[in-house]
Amino acid sequence: MGFLSRIRRLMSGQTNLVGGIDVYAPVSGEIVPIEKVPDVVFAEKIVGDGLAIKPKGSQILAPVDGTIGKIFETNHAFSIESPQGLELFVHFGVGTVELRGNGFKRLAEEGQVVKVGEPILEFDLAYLKEQVESLLTPVVLANMEDIRTLDKRQGSIEAGKDVIFSVEL
């Protein structure tokens, strides 16, 4: 994704990425190291670095101001790009794709411009708890090659209110 984002920025005349960005909690809960997610793609940072959240509540919110990229057909994951070019991927749980959208409801659309804290997806926590291996929700930086520093937080967080990590571009 990083290569394509660089091409897109070049084509649109956008200059190199500069500055720092705070990424807010897309779901309320407890921060967990990304390495603890029971999925090798996330645990080994194949898609990028970040962290996971043991979720509570019923909504996934925009973690940054930006444009919704892709919302998976099954409504369990989405990507978002900030105006500065930071690309994030939010994926609810492990095994949720097999549910074919059951337990999820889309509240935003692809291409929609959103602000931090605006609802993107809704989920039925009780239902999902019974259906999948893990509810850990990875929040991953998809364009790590553009990141100079990543400062991860710890502890309990509230969706849309608490910063989960800060990034220097």
Side-chain angles (χ1 to χ4, degrees):
M1 251 206 272
F3 175 72
L4 293 177
S5 68
R6 270 197 291 279
I7 296 286
R8 231 181 6 260
R9 283 194 301 275
L10 189 61
M11 300 279 289
S12 70
Q14 189 178 354
T15 57
N16 287 337
L17 301 177
V18 292
I21 300 172
D22 285 336
V23 176
Y24 290 81
V27 292
S28 295
E30 190 75 27
I31 292 176
V32 174
I34 193 81
E35 295 84 1
K36 301 264 189 211
V37 176
D39 182 326
V40 68
V41 172
F42 295 110
E44 293 188 8
K45 303 177 187 175
I46 293 169
V47 223
D49 200 356
L51 49 77
I53 301 167
K54 183 177 178 184
K56 58 183 184 183
S58 64
Q59 289 188 332
I60 303 176
L61 309 179
V64 292
D65 293 346
T67 304
I68 302 295
K70 172 80 177 148
I71 299 179
F72 282 61
E73 193 175 304
T74 52
N75 295 323
H76 74 287
F78 68 93
S79 65
I80 185 169
E81 185 172 350
S82 77
Q84 302 90 342
L86 183 67
E87 297 173 28
L88 292 166
F89 180 58
V90 179
H91 187 284
F92 190 97
V94 174
T96 47
V97 69
E98 283 86 21
L99 297 177
R100 298 190 175 122
N102 291 320
F104 295 97
K105 180 181 175 188
R106 186 180 297 210
L107 302 175
E109 294 303 321
E110 292 178 1
Q112 184 175 332
V113 175
V114 293
K115 296 283 185 198
V116 168
E118 286 186 37
I120 308 297
L121 302 171
E122 193 170 81
F123 58 89
D124 180 340
L125 192 61
Y127 171 79
L128 295 169
K129 218 178 257 188
E130 299 295 319
Q131 302 296 318
V132 297
E133 175 186 351
S134 172
L135 297 177
L136 288 180
T137 300
V139 182
V140 177
L141 294 158
N143 57 331
M144 284 304 296
E145 67 280 354
D146 294 327
I147 308 302
R148 287 199 325 220
T149 63
L150 171 59
D151 178 26
K152 300 178 188 181
R153 306 301 198 286
Q154 297 178 352
S156 293
I157 38 98
E158 188 176 338
K161 294 193 167 65
D162 294 321
V163 173
I164 56 172
F165 50 78
S166 297
V167 177
E168 276 295 322
L169 304 171

